[in-house]
Amino acid sequence: MTNLKPVMAVLAVATLGLAACEDRDHDGMANPKICADFKAAPSVTAAADPATPVEECTRRWAYSLAGSRDSAEAVADAVVAACAPALSKWNQASLGQAAPSGGEQALSLTTGQPTNPLAEHSAFAQGRALFYVVQARAGRCKAPPVKNGVPEGL
């Protein structure tokens, strides 16, 4: 029985050492230089690029929700849901634009698959949301200020 005490002590010290290494290694992986600056105004306006409100919404909500323990994909889905009003406005504005002539279906410039503007807007929002969640986690970035439960600037 007394032979177990030194073994247990060695195991405990090894476990603590590994935990310390894991924490140190994880801290060393953070890159705060990739974090967004929420004090700066967006460089592009919605008039110049209709995707700007969706971009800004996904960035602010993704940084706000990145601390969740859910998977990045689940958090990105929540971000897109929070940004549904901005995405809907963008989709509504694009409905008035002319469709491809001759009944041809447009091809995605990213995948080459048949698509339409609404599907591309949705893919854009989903992609940006996932990117910003991962970026915020990788940089251990601060969330934007919040007012009334919503990230400021929205």
Side-chain angles (χ1 to χ4, degrees):
M1 188 90 166
T2 58
N3 291 341
L4 287 177
K5 286 183 181 179
V7 171
M8 294 297 279
V10 169
L11 286 174
V13 169
T15 301
L16 288 173
L18 286 174
C21 285
E22 183 178 316
D23 287 344
R24 185 175 59 245
D25 288 345
H26 189 67
D27 288 342
M29 292 178 6
N31 184 0
K33 293 180 181 178
I34 64 172
C35 297
D37 178 10
F38 291 102
K39 294 175 187 165
S43 59
V44 179
T45 65
D49 183 359
T52 300
V54 174
E55 174 90 18
E56 193 62 19
C57 183
T58 57
R59 184 171 65 105
R60 290 178 179 277
W61 271 112
Y63 270 59
S64 295
L65 300 177
S68 168
R69 293 183 184 215
D70 295 309
S71 71
E73 291 82 5
V75 176
D77 288 344
V79 168
V80 173
C83 294
L87 183 56
S88 293
K89 263 186 169 174
W90 187 22
N91 285 338
Q92 186 69 33
S94 72
L95 290 176
Q97 296 175 353
S101 62
E104 292 179 31
Q105 197 169 25
L107 297 178
S108 169
L109 297 175
T110 307
T111 66
Q113 298 297 313
T115 190
N116 63 58
L118 303 184
E120 289 300 307
H121 294 174
S122 179
F124 172 83
Q126 191 67 41
R128 298 312 290 169
L130 182 58
F131 169 75
Y132 285 132
V133 168
V134 173
Q135 181 184 50
R137 287 180 176 180
R140 294 204 175 150
C141 306
K142 291 183 179 179
V146 175
K147 185 174 183 179
N148 296 326
V150 176
E152 282 187 3
L154 297 179

